[in-house]
């Protein structure tokens, strides 16, 4: 808003709105309109730790055990306490710093597995088994040093949220801060394929309900930072190339413009409209919204011709969590009026099948972004390193301005232990490791993997048994044995083909 305009002019930079207008002019090179590479230090910084961050899908988290997680490089433990609410502590028992994530949840309390100390959801210690008597135990428990370090938590839109600040004022500040849950998000979150009970007012003033078309929230730990992912989502032009054959075809790419709607602000981020990136795409409206610190929403309304029989509005929502590597939370929605056939299909498809599609989409970016951010870190400055030559790059430039000029850049981020990236990993097997990045953490995909492994063994066993019976038992029904061998072999073959989809599937752009 006005504040960001003043900040931009004070540093000799164009306001985001003026930059977008300049970028639209014929013959204008966007890279030449960017701020000088010698821009001064940031005039402000972003309160990174005084924000709500999604740390897990509530439906995917077992309530009978604690869960280790990392947020801003800080080791935390998430667990489900009494009263049906989640609690979050520093992952260190105040007694001897043993990891509480290795503990147990008993009667709504978290128990350290090292010496049996117990904690309530507030962090208060309620049991010290080594105490000599009740009086000394009460004295130990009442000492503030016996308390676990706790962080505010909440649950909304199918996600568990953590406010990563443990200061005395954290609880009141978190309570006064609204959860960054957009009204388009479905109530219930993960796995909710039916229309939401609540509605929102869509364009035209009509109420619209939404169905999930992405299998609920998908969480995957990808080997690049949240800042890199956010920039990537704000750049729709890459999809026809990085995701060729999945989200369009590179042969259909056309020039397009990204236009900022208003200014960029520290607290509010920005909204942009995006033109059609493909000659086969007909749009009536397309917007990209960045809401700090790590929320990106894309809304697509097809044109009148393209919209026939298609969802009236398609939404893709992503949140990126700030460790390095980061878990990315992704889901997609469409208008429930998209047609009975679509609703029926989505109702029949298992969640893991929809996750496989999203995994393939993430793989298309993964090696590119992993390498890009390390090269940018080595170069040190995006203005002198990036050549943003078309109006399509206005969203990327706006985000980099927000991150580097308003929020203080990577150097101002509160990483515990420093935020330097590890070296670039040349191994596709490690980078595209679906098993450890997602499958093991997703109940739906993990169950599908175990069933496929069982089917592979059972199918191969049935085929081998049928062949043995036909060879060694003269009275065996050879026709029945042949059918059993074929059926068993087919089951084993299908299972063998599908197993890598949950474990590791290479993605080579040169072969697509």
């Amino acid at each position: 808003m006005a504040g960001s305009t003043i900040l931009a002019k004070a540093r000799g930079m164009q306001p985001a709105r003026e930059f977008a207008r300049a970028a639209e002019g014929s013959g204008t090179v966007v890279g030449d309109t960017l701020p000088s590479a010698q821009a001064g230090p940031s005039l402000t910084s972003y309160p990174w730790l005084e924000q709500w961050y999604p740390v897990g899908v509530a439906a995917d988290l077992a309530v009978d055990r604690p869960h280790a997680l990392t947020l801003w490089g800080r080791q935390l433990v998430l667990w489900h306490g009494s009263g049906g609410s989640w609690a979050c502590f520093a992952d260190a028992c105040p007694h001897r710093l043993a990891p509480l994530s290795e503990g147990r949840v008993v009667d709504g309390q978290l128990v350290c597995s090292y010496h049996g100390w117990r904690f309530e959801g507030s962090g208060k210690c309620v049991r010290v088994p080594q105490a000599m008597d009740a009086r000394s135990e009460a004295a130990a428990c009442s000492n503030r040093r016996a308390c676990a370090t706790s962080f505010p938590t909440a649950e909304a839109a199918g996600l568990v949220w953590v406010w990563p600040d443990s200061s005395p004022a954290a609880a009141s500040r978190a309570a006064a801060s609204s959860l960054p849950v957009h009204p388009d998000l479905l109530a219930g979150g993960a796995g909710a394929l039916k229309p939401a009970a609540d509605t929102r007012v869509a364009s035209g003033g009509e109420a619209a309900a939404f169905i999930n078309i992405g299998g609920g929230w998908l969480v995957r730990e990808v080997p690049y930072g949240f800042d890199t992912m956010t920039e990537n989502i704000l750049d729709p032009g890459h999809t026809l190339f990085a995701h060729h054959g999945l989200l369009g075809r590179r042969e259909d790419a056309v020039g397009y413009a990204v236009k900022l709607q208003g200014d960029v602000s520290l607290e509010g981020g920005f909204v942009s409209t995006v033109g059609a990136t493909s000659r086969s795409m007909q749009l009536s409206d397309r917007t990209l919204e960045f809401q700090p610190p790590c929320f990106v929403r894309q809304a697509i309304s097809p044109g009148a011709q393209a919209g026939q029989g298609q969802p009236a509005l398609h939404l893709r929502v992503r949140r990126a969590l700030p460790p390095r590597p980061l878990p990315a939370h992704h889901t997609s929605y469409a208008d429930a009026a998209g047609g009975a056939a679509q609703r029926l299909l989505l109702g029949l498809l298992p969640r893991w099948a929809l996750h496989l599609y999203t995994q393939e989409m993430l793989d298309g970016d993964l090696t590119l972004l992993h390498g890009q951010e390390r090269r940018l870190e080595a170069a040190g400055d995006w203005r002198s390193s990036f050549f943003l030559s078309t109006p399509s790059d206005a969203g990327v430039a706006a985000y980099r301005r927000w991150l580097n000029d308003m929020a203080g850049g990577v150097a101002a981020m509160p990483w515990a232990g420093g935020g330097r990236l590890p070296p670039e990993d040349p191994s596709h097997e490690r980078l595209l490791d679906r098993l450890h990045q997602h499958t093991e953490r997703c109940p739906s995909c993990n169950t599908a993997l175990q069933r496929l492994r069982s089917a592979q063994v059972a199918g191969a066993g049935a085929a081998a048994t049928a062949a043995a019976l036909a060879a060694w038992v003269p009275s065996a029904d050879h026709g029945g044995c042949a059918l059993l061998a074929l059926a068993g072999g087919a089951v084993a073959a299908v299972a063998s083909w599908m197993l890598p989809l949950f474990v590791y599937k290479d993605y080579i752009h040169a072969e697509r």
Side-chain angles (χ1 to χ4, degrees):
M1 311 310 171
S4 63
T5 301
I6 293 171
L7 174 64
K9 290 182 176 176
R11 303 197 52 213
M13 302 181 295
Q14 287 178 293
R17 181 163 52 191
E18 296 173 14
F19 165 70
R21 291 194 189 117
E24 293 164 28
S26 60
T28 300
V29 179
V30 175
D32 292 341
T33 69
L34 289 172
S36 166
Q38 283 75 40
S42 173
L43 300 182
T44 185
S45 61
Y46 188 73
W48 294 101
L49 297 183
E50 296 181 2
Q51 309 292 330
W52 285 108
Y53 294 95
V55 295
V57 180
D60 292 347
L61 296 169
V63 298
D64 63 347
R65 64 195 61 198
H67 305 272
L69 65 98
T70 303
L71 182 57
W72 285 115
R74 292 153 173 81
Q75 293 177 302
L76 308 177
V77 57
L78 188 71
W79 61 285
H80 200 260
S82 59
S85 59
W86 291 94
C88 183
F89 296 165
D91 194 11
C93 179
H95 177 214
R96 299 260 294 281
L97 304 184
L100 289 171
S101 57
E102 294 293 333
R104 299 174 297 123
V105 176
V106 179
D107 297 331
Q109 297 173 342
L110 182 60
V111 183
C112 179
S113 292
Y114 198 17
H115 293 93
W117 286 33
R118 288 193 180 211
F119 304 90
E120 295 179 338
S122 65
K124 177 178 171 55
C125 180
V126 295
R127 184 82 172 92
V128 178
Q130 293 75 32
M132 297 296 292
D133 51 43
R135 182 177 179 180
S136 60
E137 182 176 32
C141 291
S142 63
N143 192 307
R144 63 179 180 83
R145 295 188 61 190
C147 295
T149 302
S150 63
F151 301 86
T153 59
E155 182 177 344
L159 298 172
V160 181
W161 305 74
V162 169
W163 181 277
D165 177 18
S166 60
S167 67
S172 59
R173 288 175 180 168
S177 178
S178 300
L179 284 164
V181 179
H182 198 279
D184 290 330
L185 296 180
L186 284 176
L193 295 177
K194 60 184 180 180
D198 53 329
T199 59
R200 66 178 286 271
V201 177
S203 56
E206 298 179 358
F210 292 87
I211 52 176
N212 196 308
I213 61 174
W217 289 107
L218 175 140
V219 179
R220 178 172 175 180
E221 283 202 355
V222 288
Y224 48 82
F226 80 100
D227 48 334
T228 302
M229 166 167 272
T230 302
E231 177 192 282
N232 168 259
I233 308 168
L234 291 167
D235 166 34
H238 81 277
T239 58
L240 297 174
F241 296 90
H243 308 290
H244 172 71
L246 189 67
L247 296 176
R249 300 182 58 80
R250 48 182 170 256
E251 295 84 0
D252 295 331
V254 295
Y256 68 97
V258 173
K259 303 176 183 179
L260 298 185
Q261 303 302 298
D263 298 324
V264 181
S265 72
L266 181 66
E267 296 294 337
F270 58 87
V271 177
S272 64
T273 58
V274 185
T277 55
S278 167
R279 59 173 53 93
S280 62
M281 180 182 289
Q282 298 184 45
L283 301 173
S284 64
D285 186 46
R286 184 181 188 182
T287 61
L288 274 168
E289 171 190 349
F290 166 61
Q291 179 184 341
C294 55
F295 172 89
V296 178
R297 168 184 174 267
Q298 178 177 203
I300 303 174
S301 297
Q305 226 179 347
Q308 293 176 359
Q310 295 186 15
L313 182 63
H314 173 259
L315 304 165
R316 177 167 292 140
V317 178
R318 281 192 187 177
R319 289 186 179 277
L321 198 62
R324 289 184 170 186
L326 80 156
H329 299 74
H330 174 280
T331 196
S332 300
Y333 299 92
D335 193 320
Q342 183 192 46
R343 293 196 297 272
L344 177 62
L345 176 62
L346 291 172
L348 293 175
L349 284 175
R351 186 181 174 208
W352 58 260
L354 297 168
H355 278 190
L356 289 180
Y357 173 83
T358 307
Q359 296 272 56
E360 188 81 1
M361 182 177 65
L362 289 171
D363 284 350
D365 289 325
L366 199 147
T367 54
L368 301 173
L369 300 185
H370 177 76
Q372 175 206 349
E373 72 172 0
R374 282 153 178 78
R375 287 159 176 78
L376 178 58
E377 183 177 72
D381 180 73
W382 68 276
R383 290 181 182 83
S384 59
S385 303
F386 290 177
F387 178 50
L388 306 181
S389 60
T390 71
S392 66
D393 290 321
V396 171
Y399 175 68
R400 283 293 164 183
R401 279 197 56 240
W402 178 89
L403 178 64
N404 292 74
D405 303 331
M406 296 181 179
V410 174
M413 295 179 184
W415 302 104
R420 295 288 299 181
L421 291 167
E424 185 171 349
D425 191 339
S427 169
H428 278 210
E429 287 82 359
R430 287 190 294 269
L431 292 177
L432 302 172
D433 180 5
R434 295 183 180 183
L435 177 64
H436 296 101
Q437 292 174 3
H438 171 73
T439 301
E440 289 183 338
R441 306 161 189 262
C442 173
S444 178
C445 292
N446 194 35
T447 298
L449 175 64
Q450 300 309 320
R451 289 176 177 173
L452 284 171
R453 285 172 172 167
S454 297
Q456 184 185 42
V457 173
T465 300
L469 285 173
W472 299 100
V473 181
S475 59
D477 181 355
H478 285 213
C481 288
L483 288 175
L484 178 60
L486 286 173
V491 168
V494 170
S496 299
W497 174 78
M498 290 188 67
L499 277 171
L501 302 179
F502 295 90
V503 179
Y504 163 72
K505 180 174 180 279
D506 204 356
Y507 199 108
I508 303 175
H509 288 275
E511 296 178 0
R512 291 178 173 260

